[in-house]
Amino acid sequence: MEHLNKNNNKNNIPFPYVYYQCTCQVVSKIRRDIFFSTNQFPLKEPVESEINSTTISHFPPTHFNHYRLKSIYNLYFCPSCCEIHCPDCVKNDFLCFYCPNCLFDVPQASVVSEQNRCIRNCFECPVCFNVLTVVSQKDVLPTSASTSSITDEQNSYYLACNVCQWKSLEIDLSFDKSTGLYLQLQKKESVLPHEVEFQNLRNYYDKCLRSNSNMNSINTKRLSALFGNSSSLLISPSIISHIPDLKTKLILAKRENNQKSDEYNKTNDNQDSTILMEDELEMIRLKNLENMEELTSLEQKLNQPEDQPKFLSHLRIHRIPLRVKLQTKCNKCEKILIKQEIQKMKKPSNIRFAIKCFARDYIPNIFIQQLIPNKPLYKDMPVQVLLKFVNPLSQEIQVSLTTLPNKQNENENKSKPKIDTDIKKSAPKSPMSPIFGRRTSSLMASPKARKRGPSLKISTAPIIPTKIKEEQYKKSEGVSSCNVTVLAKNFKIPAYDPLKEFENETEPTEQKQVGIFEKKKNSVSIVVEVRPTGNVNDRVEFPILVTYSFVNDQKEVDNETPISPNYAELSHGVQKFVSFWTVIGIGKIVEENIDNNKDNKNKENKNKKK
Amino acid sequence: MEEEIIYYDKSEYIETDSGNKISRKSVISVPQNIVLGGKTIIQQNCIIRGDLRRKGSGYAVVIGIGKYCLLGEDSIIRPPYKIYKGVFSYYPMKISDYVHIGQRTIVEAARIGQYVIIGNDCVIGRFSVIKEYCRILDNTVIPPNTVIPSFSVYGGNPGRFISELPESSQIIFEQKAKQYYDRFIAKIEEDDKKTSN
């Protein structure tokens, strides 16, 4: 579903949604800010190392990168650096190559030599690019009497397309056997001019390489691969003069090379005249053309780039291109995030994962549970949104939420840019007071974690640019077209326990916190009040900063629980903070019904009068 | 956002012991040849051709359908056929778990793997094989004998590869299939709840 959304305009992203901002967004924003303030493009390394929960809190998502926001299912989480990653900021490696039609694994060595295409019986139709099937001529003959007359030796096979009814007989292609079609086809293909040309070139350069490597013991193979055939130029004259034998050999080799290249060019000249002849013939044929359907389409020409035929009869069948399975790595610490199970001698149709680090198994999953009331959104009519937070970890987590400062009511009628600056001023310049204040208080609660406190402070200091140019922020539209109030800003979510999964007991309602709607096994639903303040048709969406922390109270030996993150550097009992921004969209502001009715009535009246 | 509950008329559907919900308005020919995995919903005007089978005596599983499947309204499930060595015969069809088939879709596939979502108004050609974790967009025509590998999105006419699915599709599809079954509730039950409350 997501791929459809990406292509569409931002305004078409369907409601309601909860999207997450990836860490790479923060990195790119920091780099942009440093570039604007210093006019120097910063290196990637120091910026990435500065990423932690505090720096992330300074960079709320703006409306411009709606495309870059991801749903939780598209995100990965690196357990060793505690960061969210999206498909745009991971490293991908080839795991295996396979044919999408016969699903056979192709070893990496033969992938290159076989031009990334299937070496079995899989061919695609040159007209409509669908898979061709092998048909025996015996089967097609309708009467049973004639089939019996043809013995197996006489039988021949051809390829047919199930979609456009194209047959390989149209290009005079048939096979003696129904298996090993590629080997049969290879003989015919090897006579084609472009294949011959390629083979000639290859032989020529192979010769050159061999003569060079014979010439001296220096590994010229590598040099000539880098600099073409001019390896003799690389050796300085002083060295050559020191080795008398080499000098004569070099001169000899040079002469040989020149001769060879002359020969090669000559063959090319001869071919040119024949090509001219062919061109003229083709022109005559085009002039006498009666049926447009004989010509190829652009797509068909591009599928055969070596000669780009103009007539359907010149098309050739192609083997099916291979597909690849990828393995995903964290681009910071190279830890493997996604790896499919690959066993030798097993088909690549196996789809189990050996390693999977999906974000949904590590960070709190947020769902919009309900809108109260579930009606169209009107301006200044507050709605209550129930946000459900689910804890996938096997530890209890402490969640704290922060929203951007709300617009003041008085500002509503004033021009938009001013409001923007108000928000922006308060957001990046004084974020320390609400966010950090809260953090220290939570640090105070757990004395063990207090040690980590100062390091957090220090690390934030150099990275935040002191001068933030307000103009660049003015360009961005209003961050939110609504006022958001979160009552329960700090709450705890109990650990996920797979044993309790199928129990239906609802927990006793212990001292209910303000703003919490309900508590279930490993989820907490909170109430968020949203008051849309924008104009009609404005999108009601707001960012929320989620910071969650947990204490690794598990013994390191305990590896039984699969979803427990394996924090290497996190020793027993240390509190860890992870932050990320989410954007929650609940709908569009609708014009109020009363007005609508009035308008309609007026229109109707007018129509009646007419 | 929790999606809306779909109510159906209790008198219209038969619920089996294993949780299958089958509309009385659907056409199921020769049910002996059809196996349902449980918690599968067959909506109204579905046609399942259990009668089209290889010649010979005795029972044979013609159409096997896994659990948590959904056969949408007006869909047609028909075993594939071909002429092999001059003999015309039908071949069995296997549909695995968590497969959603959209409305007005015609399926003649040989095999559909787990976690596959097929859109509305599609035609799945004879003997096509759809592997695990796939999505067929609406109005797609999959030509006969096509193999669709895992994690792919197919669309268009003729159906071609469009994009890849994220690795986490299993979770999304499983949730979707289970939630759909949970949301598919008889209308009368709601009234019962109200009276009991």
Side-chain angles (χ1 to χ4, degrees):
Chain A
M1 268 184 150
E2 296 312 318
H3 72 280
L4 285 179
N5 296 343
K6 270 184 218 162
N7 300 333
N8 288 342
N9 191 348
K10 132 200 165 181
N11 288 327
N12 292 338
I13 295 172
F15 288 112
Y17 66 81
V18 180
Y19 282 153
Y20 293 67
Q21 181 181 242
C22 173
T23 327
C24 67
Q25 292 299 299
V26 179
V27 175
S28 65
K29 277 176 191 169
I30 293 173
R31 283 160 66 84
R32 191 191 62 190
D33 285 351
I34 293 176
F35 179 74
F36 274 118
S37 55
T38 62
N39 278 328
Q40 274 179 340
F41 211 71
L43 291 166
K44 209 177 175 188
E45 234 347 274
V47 176
E48 275 190 352
S49 59
E50 291 293 341
I51 292 296
N52 57 36
S53 59
T54 326
T55 44
I56 288 169
S57 70
H58 297 297
F59 294 93
T62 51
H63 277 199
F64 284 109
N65 53 21
H66 250 99
Y67 310 100
R68 308 295 306 273
L69 295 169
K70 299 276 156 53
S71 105
I72 193 166
Y73 298 109
N74 288 345
L75 293 170
Y76 312 114
F77 187 86
C78 176
S80 56
C81 29
C82 287
E83 271 178 26
I84 297 171
H85 287 290
C86 65
D88 301 336
C89 65
V90 287
K91 282 179 187 171
N92 284 321
D93 288 334
F94 300 134
L95 205 60
C96 80
F97 295 83
Y98 67 98
C99 167
N101 191 48
C102 60
L103 300 171
F104 265 103
D105 180 45
V106 181
Q108 294 218 0
S110 63
V111 166
V112 179
S113 62
E114 301 300 338
Q115 295 136 25
N116 279 310
R117 284 168 189 270
C118 179
I119 51 171
R120 285 178 182 80
N121 286 348
C122 308
F123 298 96
E124 68 178 18
C125 172
V127 180
C128 65
F129 315 116
N130 274 286
V131 181
L132 294 172
T133 42
V134 188
V135 181
S136 148
Q137 266 179 336
K138 202 168 96 181
D139 278 353
V140 178
L141 295 171
T143 49
S144 57
S146 60
T147 50
S148 58
S149 65
I150 298 173
T151 54
D152 277 356
E153 285 167 22
Q154 288 169 317
N155 193 13
S156 72
Y157 299 87
Y158 63 92
L159 294 164
C161 177
N162 284 310
V163 181
C164 62
Q165 307 300 322
W166 182 87
K167 285 171 189 161
S168 68
L169 294 173
E170 285 175 32
I171 56 164
D172 291 331
L173 185 74
S174 58
F175 301 93
D176 305 330
K177 281 184 289 176
S178 63
T179 50
L181 296 186
Y182 171 55
L183 290 172
Q184 295 178 54
L185 192 69
Q186 214 172 19
K187 289 169 200 160
K188 286 170 191 165
E189 272 191 347
S190 59
V191 203
L192 291 166
H194 70 270
E195 285 286 333
V196 175
E197 179 81 6
F198 181 77
Q199 211 53 48
N200 281 344
L201 278 168
R202 209 169 141 179
N203 291 343
Y204 169 68
Y205 283 112
D206 272 350
K207 262 184 207 168
C208 293
L209 282 175
R210 237 175 286 136
S211 66
N212 282 356
S213 54
N214 287 342
M215 184 178 65
N216 48 32
S217 56
I218 307 163
N219 190 5
T220 47
K221 209 171 183 179
R222 195 171 279 175
L223 286 174
S224 55
L226 278 173
F227 304 104
N229 200 23
S230 57
S231 56
S232 54
L233 293 172
L234 292 165
I235 308 162
S236 68
S238 59
I239 302 172
I240 296 168
S241 59
H242 280 289
I243 316 163
D245 189 39
L246 189 74
K247 200 179 177 180
T248 50
K249 269 192 179 175
L250 253 182
I251 293 160
L252 276 172
K254 258 189 181 174
R255 274 183 198 159
E256 267 177 42
N257 280 352
N258 288 339
Q259 278 170 358
K260 268 178 202 161
S261 57
D262 285 345
E263 274 171 37
Y264 196 76
N265 285 334
K266 271 174 196 165
T267 54
N268 265 356
D269 287 340
N270 287 336
Q271 277 179 357
D272 278 349
S273 57
T274 56
I275 287 168
L276 272 172
M277 279 283 286
E278 273 173 22
D279 273 359
E280 269 178 33
L281 280 172
E282 207 169 63
M283 278 306 291
I284 294 163
R285 216 180 140 185
L286 279 172
K287 276 176 190 166
N288 298 332
L289 192 77
E290 282 176 1
N291 195 357
M292 280 297 281
E293 281 169 15
E294 284 176 36
L295 295 177
T296 52
S297 70
L298 179 66
E299 208 181 347
Q300 288 160 357
K301 277 178 197 157
L302 291 176
N303 195 38
Q304 203 168 309
E306 55 280 343
D307 52 355
Q308 297 179 20
K310 291 190 177 68
F311 298 99
L312 279 182
S313 53
H314 291 177
L315 288 170
R316 288 191 306 276
I317 53 165
H318 294 270
R319 290 175 284 145
I320 285 179
L322 299 177
R323 262 178 80 173
V324 75
K325 274 190 183 181
L326 293 174
Q327 136 182 322
T328 305
K329 278 181 185 172
C330 172
N331 64 348
K332 204 165 154 189
C333 64
E334 300 267 316
K335 188 189 154 61
I336 297 169
L337 300 178
I338 303 284
K339 186 179 184 177
Q340 285 192 12
E341 228 173 55
I342 297 282
Q343 285 164 325
K344 280 186 180 172
M345 305 304 291
K346 234 187 173 183
K347 280 188 178 181
S349 49
N350 187 8
I351 29 85
R352 267 181 297 169
F353 288 96
I355 303 167
K356 47 177 181 179
C357 300
F358 297 133
R360 66 174 294 280
D361 296 331
Y362 289 96
I363 63 175
N365 299 358
I366 303 165
F367 304 102
I368 299 175
Q369 198 176 13
Q370 217 180 339
L371 290 183
I372 306 169
N374 194 3
K375 281 177 191 167
L377 300 162
Y378 303 118
K379 193 182 171 184
D380 289 335
M381 284 277 283
V383 232
Q384 289 186 326
V385 185
L386 288 188
L387 286 182
K388 188 180 181 186
F389 287 73
V390 180
N391 177 14
L393 297 170
S394 55
Q395 296 115 2
E396 187 184 65
I397 59 170
Q398 169 83 39
V399 178
S400 43
L401 306 176
T402 320
T403 51
L404 290 180
N406 286 331
K407 289 181 205 173
Q408 295 301 305
N409 288 340
E410 305 95 69
N411 282 345
E412 263 180 27
N413 297 327
K414 290 180 186 176
S415 56
K416 252 191 169 180
K418 206 188 171 186
I419 306 166
D420 289 345
T421 49
D422 277 348
I423 291 166
K424 287 301 172 187
K425 268 181 194 167
S426 48
K429 280 196 175 175
S430 60
M432 306 297 267
S433 47
I435 299 163
F436 215 81
R438 185 170 38 74
R439 178 159 296 120
T440 40
S441 68
S442 58
L443 281 171
M444 294 295 270
S446 62
K448 278 176 191 169
R450 204 184 284 168
K451 288 168 200 166
R452 284 181 78 89
S455 68
L456 279 172
K457 265 182 198 167
I458 295 158
S459 65
T460 57
I463 198 65
I464 306 302
T466 43
K467 285 181 185 175
I468 291 166
K469 292 189 178 176
E470 278 166 20
E471 298 107 60
Q472 86 192 54
Y473 283 115
K474 272 184 184 173
K475 288 175 203 161
S476 63
E477 289 172 42
V479 165
S480 56
S481 54
C482 51
N483 284 354
V484 184
T485 342
V486 183
L487 289 171
K489 291 201 167 178
N490 293 296
F491 51 89
K492 282 180 180 173
I493 311 177
Y496 168 74
D497 190 351
L499 298 174
K500 282 184 188 171
E501 182 75 329
F502 299 103
E503 287 175 26
N504 270 332
E505 44 127 6
T506 47
E507 279 184 21
T509 48
E510 355 140 1
Q511 359 86 304
K512 252 199 172 180
Q513 205 179 326
V514 184
I516 288 183
F517 179 73
E518 61 176 353
K519 274 189 174 184
K520 278 181 182 169
K521 277 166 265 172
N522 63 329
S523 73
V524 169
S525 300
I526 62 153
V527 183
V528 178
E529 196 178 81
V530 181
R531 194 163 61 86
T533 54
N535 300 317
V536 173
N537 272 339
D538 273 3
R539 298 166 65 82
V540 182
E541 43 200 3
F542 51 93
I544 288 186
L545 174 73
V546 180
T547 305
Y548 72 96
S549 65
F550 57 91
V551 179
N552 191 10
D553 55 357
Q554 276 188 328
K555 283 168 194 168
E556 276 160 49
V557 198
D558 187 24
N559 285 329
E560 281 174 321
T561 43
I563 40 164
S564 158
N566 172 30
Y567 298 100
E569 93 286 15
L570 201 64
S571 51
H572 177 79
V574 172
Q575 199 171 15
K576 179 79 192 171
F577 292 97
V578 182
S579 286
F580 55 88
W581 281 96
T582 59
V583 177
I584 291 154
I586 53 171
K588 272 186 180 177
I589 301 176
V590 186
E591 216 169 326
E592 281 183 54
N593 264 344
I594 313 150
D595 296 357
N596 263 339
N597 291 342
K598 272 182 188 173
D599 285 344
N600 289 340
K601 273 177 189 172
N602 285 341
K603 276 178 193 169
E604 278 170 17
N605 288 339
K606 275 178 191 172
N607 287 339
K608 277 176 189 172
K609 276 172 192 173
K610 278 175 188 171
Chain B
M1 185 76 165
E2 280 172 16
E3 284 170 85
E4 279 176 30
I5 290 166
I6 304 158
Y7 293 113
Y8 64 86
D9 189 2
K10 201 178 182 183
S11 61
E12 194 198 313
Y13 278 82
I14 308 163
E15 196 173 341
T16 63
D17 294 339
S18 52
N20 296 313
K21 292 177 179 179
I22 301 155
S23 169
R24 285 179 206 272
K25 287 178 186 166
S26 61
V27 180
I28 297 171
S29 25
V30 195
Q32 293 94 317
N33 295 340
I34 299 168
V35 176
L36 295 182
K39 303 209 172 181
T40 285
I41 302 167
I42 296 172
Q43 289 182 336
Q44 57 192 14
N45 298 331
C46 250
I47 299 170
I48 304 178
R49 298 295 299 270
D51 54 333
L52 306 177
R53 66 187 193 94
R54 208 188 291 238
K55 272 171 194 152
S57 58
Y59 293 129
V61 178
V62 174
I63 296 171
I65 300 178
K67 58 180 182 180
Y68 286 107
C69 288
L70 167 72
L71 309 184
E73 289 171 27
D74 306 307
S75 57
I76 299 170
I77 314 294
R78 190 162 52 194
Y81 64 87
K82 72 174 171 190
I83 302 167
Y84 183 67
K85 288 184 176 165
V87 183
F88 175 94
S89 60
Y90 285 98
Y91 289 80
M93 180 200 275
K94 172 103 177 81
I95 298 176
S96 306
D97 305 341
Y98 308 102
V99 175
H100 272 204
I101 293 168
Q103 296 172 7
R104 300 173 295 280
T105 287
I106 299 166
V107 180
E108 288 182 283
R111 215 191 106 82
I112 299 178
Q114 293 179 25
Y115 310 100
V116 173
I117 295 183
I118 300 173
N120 298 337
D121 306 290
C122 293
V123 177
I124 311 296
R126 273 178 284 122
F127 291 102
S128 48
V129 175
I130 305 178
K131 305 296 286 184
E132 288 82 358
Y133 316 124
C134 283
R135 191 181 159 81
I136 315 290
L137 303 177
D138 290 358
N139 307 313
T140 305
V141 178
I142 302 290
N145 300 313
T146 313
V147 179
I148 299 178
S150 302
F151 297 107
S152 28
V153 180
Y154 267 61
N157 179 12
R160 295 192 64 188
F161 175 74
I162 288 181
S163 72
E164 273 187 41
L165 285 171
E167 290 91 346
S168 55
S169 346
Q170 181 200 344
I171 306 150
I172 306 170
F173 287 0
E174 188 176 333
Q175 264 179 9
K176 208 176 171 182
K178 281 187 175 167
Q179 275 173 9
Y180 191 93
Y181 182 81
D182 293 340
R183 270 158 47 211
F184 200 71
I185 298 172
K187 218 174 226 169
I188 298 159
E189 275 179 37
E190 182 67 9
D191 296 334
D192 290 344
K193 267 182 196 172
K194 273 179 190 170
T195 49
S196 64
N197 284 344

